[in-house]
Amino acid sequence: MYNQRATILWNHQVGPAHHRIGMGCRAEFADAVPGQFVMVRPAGRQGPLLRRPYSIFNPIEEQGRAVGIELLIKVVGEGTGQLCGLPPGAAIDLLGPLGRGFRVPPQMRRAVLVAGGIGVAPIYFLSLAMVKNRLPAKQQRVYIGARSDQELLCLADFEALGYPVTCTTDDGSVGDQCLITDPVEALVAAHRPDMVYACGPPAMLACLGGIVEKYRLECQVSIETMMACGMGACLGCAVPQRQSTTYLHACQDGPVFDWAAIDLSVERGV
């Protein structure tokens, strides 16, 4: 874990409320793994008081050397609005990489990658790592769900790597008008994967969890949650354990968990 001043390299708006922001930082981020995150805030400003957590979207390399990271950020309030308004050259207070990331078993050959909304960020980083590990992209399957075509992110990026991509939207503007878990279940029922990876809203993960339990599949999920510190001090990112009264914490025990270890139904009140 490193605390440093990073520099904005680029800030590209990729949707009505989404930005891809490249940050130049020290080479320690070469060791970051998919699913890990950083805590960021604009440097030298009074607000926001707390850093915001963001999954690492894309490692930036030059001639095989790590020179920075790219984040995918959605504007939802004052803090994210400030970050997405920063120009190239602006300074960023950056803490990370933090947390536990996705694991790719050496025997894995076929995986299903599922993303909902902004949850596409760690899933894309994972897809890059799988290609680097010589897992054939065409043997994997990527599923991306969103509310509408304007919130459907990174399709071209996955396709450029050779991944087959299936999309659904709530309004039917792209792909089928259904939950993204519907085509996922159709696939795993016919062609059993070695692993399911996912990141998205709790309701999507809970639905997907029912599917992986039904078909007895291994599944790793990245939890989206607010954090005050990112280091386990505030205990604000508690995640209920399955068959236990104690809690795990997304910042240290996650944000990536084995689905069998957690119980999102407690948070959803079902």
Side-chain angles (χ1 to χ4, degrees), residues 89-109:
I92 285 286
D93 183 353
L94 181 65
L95 178 67
L98 299 165
R100 298 178 184 271
F102 291 108
R103 302 173 306 284
V104 179
Q107 72 277 12
M108 192 187 78
R109 294 295 177 268

Side-chain angles (χ1 to χ4, degrees), residues 75-99:
V75 177
V76 295
E78 178 184 354
T80 49
Q82 286 190 20
L83 285 171
C84 291
L86 293 175
I92 285 286
D93 183 353
L94 181 65
L95 178 67
L98 299 165

Side-chain angles (χ1 to χ4, degrees), residues 142-145 152 155 159 165-169 174-176 178 180 183:
V142 174
Y143 290 82
I144 305 175
L152 204 53
L155 274 64
E159 291 170 346
V165 181
T166 298
C167 303
T168 67
T169 49
V174 176
D176 291 335
C178 64
I180 192 61

Side-chain angles (χ1 to χ4, degrees), residues 24-104:
C25 50
R26 295 199 301 262
E28 290 89 352
F29 278 83
D31 297 327
V33 299
Q36 286 190 299
F37 67 98
V38 293
M39 301 289 290
V40 301
R41 66 182 173 192
R45 299 195 183 188
Q46 295 299 317
L49 176 62
L50 301 174
R51 296 181 178 96
R52 300 290 194 272
Y54 297 102
S55 294
I56 298 173
F57 171 64
N58 185 23
I60 303 171
E61 296 182 352
E62 289 183 359
Q63 299 179 342
R65 182 175 63 90
V67 296
I69 58 172
E70 187 177 22
L71 304 181
L72 181 64
I73 298 178
K74 180 179 180 180
V75 177
V76 295
E78 178 184 354
T80 49
Q82 286 190 20
L83 285 171
C84 291
L86 293 175
I92 285 286
D93 183 353
L94 181 65
L95 178 67
L98 299 165
R100 298 178 184 271
F102 291 108
R103 302 173 306 284
V104 179

Side-chain angles (χ1 to χ4, degrees), residues 7-12 20-24 60 68-71 88:
T7 302
I8 299 291
L9 302 176
W10 63 78
N11 184 346
H12 301 315
R20 289 176 62 158
I21 302 179
M23 302 178 181
I60 303 171
I69 58 172
E70 187 177 22
L71 304 181

